[in-house]
Amino acid sequence: MILNNQNYHSTEANQHYWSNSQYKEFLECEARGMAKLRGWAEPPSEALLVGSYVHAYFESKEVFEQFKSENPEIIASKGANKGNLKKEFQRADELIRTIENDPLCMFVLQGQKEVILTAEFAGAKWKVKMDNYAPDRNRFSDIKTVREIQKETWDPNNGYVTFVEASGYVTQMALYAEIERRVQGRDGWIEPIIVAVSKEDPPDKAVISINGYDIQRELDLIEMNMPRLIEVKSGRIEPDRCENCRYCRETKTLNKIVHYTELINQ
Ligand SMILES: [Zn+2]
């Protein structure tokens, strides 16, 4: 299957290839991952739409205009603000200005936009899409919109972690670096850079690096997890349910009584 910007996110493409988001999904809830391959979809979240709005702006003028016409819900339809951008998207405009006014952000965001690459890794076929790909500068970069850049998040396995780890961005960047390395036949990885901008008032910002140790650790984890996930996706193993996500809540049937201490240790 040949991928392009029209079919990249299609169900067919997701059946054929693994992607960072599918890998993350299967780790969170295999049952939900499988349901998505059958066409189940999560309702779009406003946070996701704000992220896409910022991305579209930095991709190109045409893409930004197209995004706005395809998502009329970003315009307020009632109240004092009627006819204007909703508050969240006025804030998104501030995030855009914050990035645009920072020379370092703009410098690392240079490169080819939305570059699709595919390669085999860990026994699976992967697809990745790089937002800003600059192989001549040994770098690729991605913008991440986040509620708070310095926020600590509790992770039961690793203690308090940064938003970069909590959101799976180290995994994503490591995977992208490895797929790029395989496509280009390089010995080492080009450098992944995250440009983070926060929804605080005024927005905070940071240009964030991920090093070779981080990449290797994440790739080892992916290689460890993939054998089971490949079996699940192929239908040879029954998917586990997390019993916690939207899909599991929608499809839950209780068959036992739980002790109250079990409520937080799943
Ligand atoms: Zn679930």
Side-chain angles (χ1 to χ4, degrees):
M1 180 182 185
I2 305 294
L3 295 175
N4 53 45
N5 277 322
Q6 278 68 49
N7 69 12
Y8 184 85
H9 291 292
S10 67
T11 301
E12 195 195 352
N14 290 333
Q15 285 164 347
H16 198 78
Y17 291 98
W18 283 86
S19 65
N20 168 67
S21 52
Q22 187 173 70
Y23 171 73
K24 194 173 148 190
E25 180 113 50
F26 269 72
L27 283 188
E28 283 168 9
C29 180
E30 293 171 354
R32 189 177 80 232
M34 290 301 281
K36 281 205 177 157
L37 291 172
R38 294 190 304 264
W40 182 86
E42 222 145 350
S45 83
E46 195 119 272
L48 215 67
L49 208 57
V50 166
S52 306
Y53 178 91
V54 174
H55 265 123
Y57 179 86
F58 285 100
E59 191 180 336
S60 72
K61 231 186 197 127
E62 295 75 44
V63 170
F64 190 51
E65 291 309 319
Q66 193 187 340
F67 178 88
K68 286 194 285 189
S69 66
E70 282 172 2
N71 294 280
E73 68 270 34
I74 67 176
I75 305 290
S77 58
K78 52 182 187 283
N81 199 20
K82 188 178 173 178
N84 294 318
L85 277 175
K86 281 183 186 164
K87 283 270 168 336
E88 296 81 354
F89 296 93
Q90 292 183 14
R91 175 57 53 81
D93 277 340
E94 272 178 57
L95 304 197
I96 288 170
R97 300 286 97 78
T98 300
I99 295 172
E100 261 186 342
N101 291 333
D102 190 283
L104 181 59
C105 290
M106 291 308 283
F107 180 73
V108 299
L109 288 176
Q110 291 170 23
Q112 304 163 49
K113 305 292 176 193
E114 306 287 311
V115 177
I116 295 169
L117 301 175
T118 62
E120 297 236 355
F121 167 60
K125 264 194 246 170
W126 295 85
K127 61 178 168 103
V128 305
K129 188 147 88 163
M130 294 195 170
D131 286 349
N132 309 287
Y133 179 39
D136 48 326
R137 293 182 165 143
N138 281 314
R139 180 173 67 224
F140 66 96
S141 63
D142 195 0
I143 300 173
K144 301 295 187 194
T145 52
V146 56
R147 208 176 313 156
E148 208 182 309
I149 287 178
Q150 304 198 9
K151 186 173 184 278
E152 297 175 349
T153 304
W154 178 254
D155 174 339
N157 300 317
N158 299 303
Y160 281 104
V161 298
T162 65
F163 86 90
V164 180
E165 296 149 284
S167 308
Y169 295 150
V170 184
T171 312
Q172 179 185 6
M173 291 304 192
L175 181 67
Y176 282 30
E178 176 65 6
I179 297 304
E180 198 276 343
R181 189 188 71 77
R182 286 174 180 249
V183 168
Q184 300 295 358
R186 297 178 195 280
D187 289 332
W189 302 291
I190 59 172
E191 190 182 15
I193 299 274
I194 292 173
V195 173
V197 60
S198 82
K199 297 171 185 167
E200 292 153 283
D201 183 22
D204 197 2
K205 61 195 170 182
V207 174
I208 302 163
S209 69
I210 288 161
N211 66 31
Y213 293 105
D214 305 319
I215 294 175
Q216 190 59 59
R217 189 187 59 236
E218 294 300 324
L219 296 180
D220 290 347
L221 265 176
I222 295 172
E223 287 198 283
M224 200 181 80
N225 288 324
M226 283 313 286
R228 175 181 165 88
L229 300 188
I230 289 168
E231 292 292 296
V232 172
K233 187 173 173 180
S234 72
R236 289 188 290 267
I237 297 182
E238 193 68 17
D240 276 346
R241 295 167 57 88
C242 75
E243 300 299 1
N244 189 29
C245 70
R246 169 180 274 271
Y247 173 77
C248 287
R249 282 183 278 122
E250 273 182 17
T251 54
K252 191 180 282 194
T253 311
L254 297 181
N255 56 13
K256 61 172 184 176
I257 296 171
V258 294
H259 186 255
Y260 66 85
T261 56
E262 291 177 70
L263 294 175
I264 59 165
N265 285 323
Q266 290 183 15

